[in-house]
Amino acid sequence: MSRPVAALLVLVCLAVLAAVPLFGSGYIVYIANLLLVFVVLCLGLHIVIGETGQFALAHAAFYGIGIYTAALVGNAYALPFPLPVLAGGLVAGVIGVVLGAAALRMRDIYLALATFAFGEAMQWVFLNWTVVTGGPNGLSISPATFFGIAIVNDKEAYPFVAALAVLMAAVTLVISRSRLGRSFRAVRDSEIAAMAMGVPVRRTKVTAFALSAVLAGVAGGMFATFSTFIHPDSLGFQTTILVLTMIVVGGLGSIFGAVSGAIFFGLVSELLRQAPQFQEIIYGLILMVFMMYAPRGLFAAAAAKLGGNRHG
C-alpha cells in the first residue's frame, strides 16, 4: 500500500475513533472499547509471532496477569488511571522475560506446547488463588480514577482506552521500523543468517517475548478500566486461539493486518455471541475460507485491491 493511501487510512481510522462516543450508544461504545483491547492484544502477538516467528500460545495468560494486576492495584490504592495499567504491563513484561529466557532452547511445536502449558498453569492459578483473584467467584473491579474523578461508564473510559490503543499502535510501528524490528525479522527468516550478521538471537527472542507480554498486560489494564468484573473462564486457551485467528485473518507479519483482523474478528465474535454453540464451527469455516482465498490475510487482500503490494 502506498504511503498516501496508508496515511489516508490512518486519518479515517482516527476520525472514526473520535466519532464513536459522539454518535454511538452505550453498547456501541462498550464494543468499541473491547475492540481496542483486542487491537493491543493482537499487536502484542504480532511482535512475537508475526515479527519474530516464535509460535507462542501464552497470550491469554499475560492478558489475565495484566487484568488482575491492574484491578488489584486499583482496588487497593485507588491510583490514577495510567498507573494500574502501567503496573499490569510491567508485571506481565517481567514474567514474559522469565518465560522467554526459559523457552530459548525450544522452537516450533515444542515452544507452542511449553507456552500452552504456561497458559493453562496461569488459568489454574487464576481459578485457585482465591484469596487474591477471587477464584471461581471472579473479582470485582473498582472504577478507575483520573485526577480523583471516577470513570464509571464506557463513554467516560473510551477516551483513555482509545488514547492507549493509538499509543501502543504507534509504539509497535516505531519498533517494527527500528533496528530492533529488523532484528526480529532477521531471526524469523533465519537464525543462522541473523547470527552471521551479528544479531544477538537469544536477546532478540527474549525482548520479543517481553514486549509481547507488556502489550498483553497493557491490554488487560485497558480492560480493567471499563470493566467491573473479571472471571478466569474468559482467560483460557480459547482467548489465545481467538487472538491468534485475528492476526492470521488480518495478515500475519503486518501491523495493519493485526489491527484489521482484531476489528473484523472482534465484530464477528460479538455477532456470534447470540449463537455460542456455532461459534467454533463458524470460526473454523472463516479460517478455512481465508486460507483458501486470502492466505496473506484481510489487509493484504484489501491492499491488493487498492493496487499495492507492501505490508505495513
Side-chain angles (χ1 to χ4, degrees):
M1 180 176 289
S2 63
R3 286 190 176 183
V5 173
L8 179 62
L9 190 60
V10 171
L11 288 175
V12 169
C13 290
L14 292 176
V16 171
L17 279 177
V20 166
L22 299 177
F23 303 105
S25 63
Y27 175 71
I28 296 295
V29 175
Y30 167 75
I31 296 299
N33 281 331
L34 203 56
L35 292 179
L36 291 169
V37 169
F38 282 140
V39 164
V40 177
L41 265 178
C42 285
L43 289 172
L45 200 58
H46 158 76
I47 286 179
V48 76
I49 294 182
E51 293 270 354
T52 321
Q54 303 301 300
F55 199 64
L57 297 176
H59 222 53
F62 293 123
Y63 177 50
I65 290 167
I67 294 176
Y68 279 109
T69 302
L72 291 168
V73 169
N75 287 354
Y77 303 107
L79 295 174
F81 152 74
L83 296 179
V85 177
L86 182 63
L90 287 176
V91 172
V94 169
I95 297 175
V97 169
V98 175
L99 180 66
L104 274 178
R105 294 183 180 276
M106 303 176 197
R107 59 195 309 176
D108 302 328
I109 188 65
Y110 301 103
L111 178 61
L113 287 173
T115 50
F116 167 73
F118 171 76
E120 291 297 297
M122 284 308 305
Q123 194 185 24
W124 185 89
V125 171
F126 298 148
L127 269 170
N128 291 282
W129 200 5
T130 308
V131 175
V132 176
T133 66
N137 296 321
L139 180 70
S140 296
I141 303 173
S142 300
T145 61
F146 190 67
F147 289 112
I149 301 172
I151 302 170
V152 295
N153 58 49
D154 293 307
K155 285 197 174 185
E156 291 179 2
Y158 179 81
F160 305 107
V161 174
L164 270 175
V166 171
L167 177 63
M168 293 300 108
V171 167
T172 306
L173 186 61
V174 169
I175 291 173
S176 178
R177 296 188 174 181
S178 69
R179 183 173 180 177
L180 179 60
R182 292 192 291 275
S183 298
F184 286 159
R185 291 186 288 279
V187 170
R188 176 191 64 190
D189 295 340
S190 170
E191 291 186 18
I192 295 175
M195 280 190 284
M197 289 187 296
V199 174
V201 173
R202 295 168 66 91
R203 191 169 68 195
T204 301
K205 284 184 177 180
V206 174
T207 304
F209 266 95
L211 288 174
S212 174
V214 166
L215 283 170
V218 168
M222 290 164 62
F223 179 83
T225 303
F226 65 89
S227 180
T228 57
F229 184 76
I230 179 64
H231 192 279
D233 280 354
S234 61
L235 302 171
F237 186 59
Q238 190 175 3
T239 299
T240 293
I241 292 300
L242 177 64
V243 180
L244 179 63
T245 306
M246 286 174 173
I247 65 169
V248 171
V249 167
L252 204 57
S254 161
I255 292 176
F256 282 112
V259 173
S260 60
I263 294 171
F264 172 78
F265 222 83
L267 289 172
V268 170
S269 175
E270 189 58 30
L271 289 173
L272 292 178
R273 193 181 291 275
Q274 303 303 320
Q277 67 273 32
F278 299 118
Q279 277 188 359
E280 294 183 5
I281 296 173
I282 295 175
Y283 288 168
L285 287 174
I286 291 173
L287 201 54
M288 287 173 61
V289 168
F290 269 88
M291 290 298 100
M292 291 172 63
Y293 299 105
R296 292 175 58 196
L298 187 67
F299 175 72
K305 288 285 184 186
L306 292 172
N309 55 10
R310 293 180 57 187
H311 278 195

